[in-house]
Amino acid sequence: MDPIIEAYVGEYASGKSENAVNRAIELCQKGLPVTLVDLDTVEPCYTIRPIKRELEAMGMTVDAWETRDTVGLGEAGNIMKGSMRWALRRPGNIILDIGYGVHGAAIFNLIEGANESPWLKIIAVVNMSRPFTATVEDIVDYVLSLGRVDALLNNTHMAEETTVALVQQGARGVYEAAQKLSVPMMGSSAVKEIAEQIGDLDCVGAPVRTLERIMPRTFW
């Protein structure tokens, strides 16, 4: 079976880290070997570091700094570990949490094998409640600025104020943008209470991913 190798990119507060962590947990709960790599080096406010040991206790490998190890490395210690550069050479399934925006996406230039891997999929997480991705045209322009993107994931939300209608509105917009970009829309993600109301498929027929809100407790 081919490995699952996914990199999650997106605007600030798009939910890329939440989706990356939830995806890693999903694979781990299926009994699959998975490595989660924290490559969010662009002024991260939320990082995987505070939950590193919790995630490792689930059985996955987590390639991330621990907060105590970043003393003296600047405000957030936002530099790459040597092991992160070789992340794609790890066995099994690999989930990459990439920093937001163009500067975040630029980290692919430092990852060995990123351009050669036949399995790597770069997924742009889109929240249409964010200013840079509020319209279809905005999404298209933003995604084009990131460089290579292999798929879009609708993660339109407004935290506790999220509604089914808001997620479905995002699904329609992200689907239209995906068509204009000639890339697939791989689905919509939402917290459990919203996902259960939507069902298995959103209004454009894309799969619905259920999220557990983990990142709010990882504020730097």
Side-chain angles (χ1 to χ4, degrees):
M1 188 170 104
D2 291 338
I4 295 169
I5 303 179
E6 296 175 348
Y8 289 79
V9 301
E11 188 196 349
Y12 178 77
S14 63
K16 60 180 184 54
S17 295
E18 195 75 272
N19 276 276
V21 171
N22 272 265
R23 179 62 161 155
I25 292 173
E26 175 195 359
L27 296 174
C28 192
Q29 289 177 339
K30 290 180 178 178
L32 300 173
V34 58
T35 297
L36 175 63
V37 186
D38 183 2
L39 282 165
D40 188 347
T41 61
V42 185
E43 300 179 4
C45 292
Y46 299 90
T47 78
I48 295 171
R49 298 168 202 165
I51 57 172
K52 181 177 188 291
R53 294 190 180 187
E54 175 186 341
L55 295 173
E56 289 173 334
M58 296 180 184
M60 72 177 75
T61 300
V62 181
D63 194 353
W65 288 101
E66 287 199 45
T67 302
R68 63 183 180 179
D69 295 330
T70 62
V71 176
L73 296 179
E75 182 179 353
N78 53 351
I79 62 174
M80 287 181 67
K81 295 174 66 176
S83 57
M84 295 174 179
R85 183 179 177 189
W86 302 94
L88 296 185
R89 303 294 173 88
R90 290 178 176 272
N93 307 291
I94 304 165
I95 304 298
L96 310 173
D97 177 24
I98 306 298
Y100 70 88
V102 176
H103 296 293
I107 205 165
F108 287 112
N109 296 324
L110 302 177
I111 302 174
E112 293 292 330
N115 294 323
E116 294 80 28
S117 173
W119 301 293
L120 172 62
K121 290 185 178 179
I122 301 175
I123 300 164
V125 180
V126 180
N127 178 2
M128 290 194 74
S129 297
R130 297 297 299 166
F132 289 158
T133 50
T135 69
V136 172
E137 291 72 22
D138 290 339
I139 296 170
V140 171
D141 289 343
Y142 182 76
V143 171
L144 288 174
S145 76
L146 297 176
R148 173 185 164 187
V149 167
D150 301 308
L152 303 187
L153 176 63
N154 170 43
N155 189 53
T156 299
H157 69 92
M158 292 186 67
E160 289 78 11
E161 298 179 26
T162 306
T163 63
V164 170
L166 183 69
V167 175
Q168 297 284 39
Q169 179 182 350
R172 288 187 288 270
V174 174
Y175 178 73
E176 184 178 343
Q179 288 186 309
K180 289 179 179 293
L181 290 161
S182 298
V183 298
M185 173 183 159
M186 65 186 307
S188 291
S189 55
V191 293
K192 183 178 180 180
E193 55 268 28
I194 299 295
E196 288 179 344
Q197 293 179 65
I198 296 173
D200 294 335
L201 301 176
D202 63 22
C203 61
V204 298
V208 175
R209 292 186 176 189
T210 300
L211 295 178
E212 176 187 352
R213 294 194 69 201
I214 296 171
M215 297 309 292
R217 68 176 190 265
T218 68
F219 187 72
W220 177 259

